[in-house]
Amino acid sequence: MDPVQQSFYVLHFKAAFHEKKGTAFQDWFVQIAGHAYGPDFDEVRPYGKQGDLKCDGRLLSAKTVFQSYAPYLMKDTELITKIDEDFQGAVENWKGWIESWIFVHNDARGLPPAVTIQLDGLRKQNPKVHIEVWSEPELLKLAQRMDLTSHQLMFGYAPSLAVVDRLVLNDLVPIIEALSRAKPSVMNPPLTPPSLLKLERNALSTDAAVLLQMGRRKSDLVQTFFLRGPRPDFGEQIAQAFRERYTILKGLGLPADSIFKSFQDYAGGNGDPQRQGAALAVITYFFDACDIFEDPGPMESGS
């Protein structure tokens, strides 16, 4: 897996981590663990009156029981009850086997303090069972154990550096023409060049930076298309569509990398690797040439 593929898959992972709730998150975690651990991981599914015996999956070599939880709204009182029931149930159901219990959740902000205190109490009361809490960093590390085939099965195909390098102007035409059909709803402001601090200003990850760096290898083709194109307003029309989409996504409170991933999807980044590479070149062009995402202020840029 080369750096372009790795960065694509990290952004796919982050988007899924934040979007999936309820049983969808549980199923997603079990899939990742299954791919990452292979036969060392046992998936446990609910079955009739038995339920799942308070276990979403087991890591056999470490005698570990996993329990995942991703509600639409995390409330500390409900979470305390949930953790207590799941932990006590797992210890009882897997008595004589369990040595470790891992609670997996997808609230990237962390757990409420009352829940942390509760977990400390459980650790003190149950010294023979190791207790851990996993969220985004631990799950990303787990996902990075997967090989390329597993990533493709989980997240689809991603463009490689070789695919990006082979892109020609004709590969970008369908992407640009599809984007040009978006209808802007306000007057077109002028394009504004970004500063070099734009990545930092928008809190984009190093993975997004890698993809933008790769996209620049072919973003000149986008400029060539607009210069040769029959409609001089093509570029500004697409830029405005990106701006409007950015405003909506920013208003939803999405992390910067999730917004970047949404731009990839919007630009047709869910197609084959060649089309994804072309979409990346288009996004990079507009990142550099217009005001999708936010430019740093004069104080940040030193001007």
Side-chain angles (χ1 to χ4, degrees):
M1 196 183 312
D2 69 25
V4 177
Q5 292 170 314
Q6 289 177 0
S7 295
F8 255 84
Y9 286 130
V10 168
L11 293 192
H12 275 280
F13 166 88
K14 288 183 177 180
F17 175 84
H18 290 284
E19 291 171 3
K20 294 188 181 297
K21 302 294 181 185
T23 56
F25 178 77
Q26 176 183 322
D27 294 342
W28 180 74
F29 161 70
V30 168
Q31 280 186 298
I32 289 178
H35 283 295
Y37 291 131
D40 197 21
F41 181 79
D42 271 353
E43 177 182 354
V44 179
R45 67 178 176 88
Y47 185 80
K49 294 182 179 178
Q50 296 176 30
D52 61 5
L53 299 181
K54 300 301 182 182
C55 173
D56 293 334
R58 302 189 308 163
L59 184 61
L60 301 179
S61 60
K63 296 186 176 181
T64 297
V65 169
F66 291 95
Q67 185 69 49
S68 60
Y69 187 57
Y72 286 90
L73 179 62
M74 190 83 83
K75 295 182 179 178
D76 62 352
T77 53
E78 295 177 0
L79 183 53
I80 287 173
T81 301
K82 165 76 175 171
I83 287 177
D84 190 62
E85 291 179 353
D86 286 347
F87 176 78
Q88 301 298 348
V91 170
E92 176 62 27
N93 291 321
W94 304 96
K95 186 184 303 181
W97 184 86
I98 185 172
E99 293 184 359
S100 178
W101 184 80
I102 297 179
F103 179 72
V104 183
H105 71 92
N106 75 336
D107 193 332
R109 301 169 300 176
L111 296 175
V115 177
T116 302
I117 292 173
Q118 179 211 18
L119 287 165
D120 286 344
L122 290 176
R123 291 186 178 102
K124 188 174 181 180
Q125 295 163 15
N126 301 271
K128 294 184 178 179
V129 179
H130 178 71
I131 298 175
E132 289 186 8
V133 176
W134 284 13
S135 189
E136 187 173 12
E138 293 81 10
L139 288 186
L140 177 58
K141 189 175 180 180
L142 179 64
Q144 289 175 330
R145 292 171 59 114
M146 300 192 304
D147 60 19
L148 177 59
T149 300
S150 294
H151 276 90
Q152 290 170 339
L153 289 171
M154 288 285 299
F155 303 113
Y157 290 95
S160 64
L161 180 58
V163 168
V164 174
D165 279 344
R166 286 198 299 268
L167 289 174
V168 296
L169 186 59
N170 284 342
D171 295 320
L172 276 64
V173 172
I175 299 286
I176 294 172
E177 289 185 341
L179 289 171
S180 71
R181 290 192 285 272
K183 302 294 184 184
S185 60
V186 297
M187 295 298 291
N188 295 336
L191 298 178
T192 54
S195 77
L196 296 177
L197 297 174
K198 193 169 182 177
L199 281 172
E200 182 179 348
R201 173 67 176 83
N202 289 278
L204 284 161
S205 67
T206 54
D207 295 291
V210 167
L211 295 181
L212 287 167
Q213 185 178 0
M214 293 302 105
R216 285 196 183 97
R217 298 165 77 99
K218 294 294 177 179
S219 61
D220 59 330
L221 293 177
V222 183
Q223 185 174 22
T224 300
F225 177 89
F226 290 136
L227 290 174
R228 295 180 182 175
R231 288 181 50 186
D233 64 337
F234 251 20
E236 188 50 44
Q237 185 175 332
I238 297 172
Q240 182 58 30
F242 272 116
R243 291 188 195 103
E244 292 179 359
R245 193 166 188 83
Y246 176 78
T247 300
I248 293 171
L249 296 172
K250 182 75 173 178
L252 293 174
L254 294 180
D257 279 359
S258 294
I259 295 175
F260 188 89
K261 172 65 170 52
S262 178
F263 279 158
Q264 289 179 277
D265 296 341
Y266 177 64
N270 284 326
D272 58 45
Q274 188 170 341
R275 185 179 177 87
Q276 292 184 59
L280 179 59
V282 173
I283 293 170
T284 302
Y285 172 83
F286 285 107
F287 183 88
D288 285 340
C290 74
D291 51 357
I292 62 170
F293 287 100
E294 298 171 16
D295 282 331
M299 295 296 292
E300 294 170 276
S301 61
S303 60

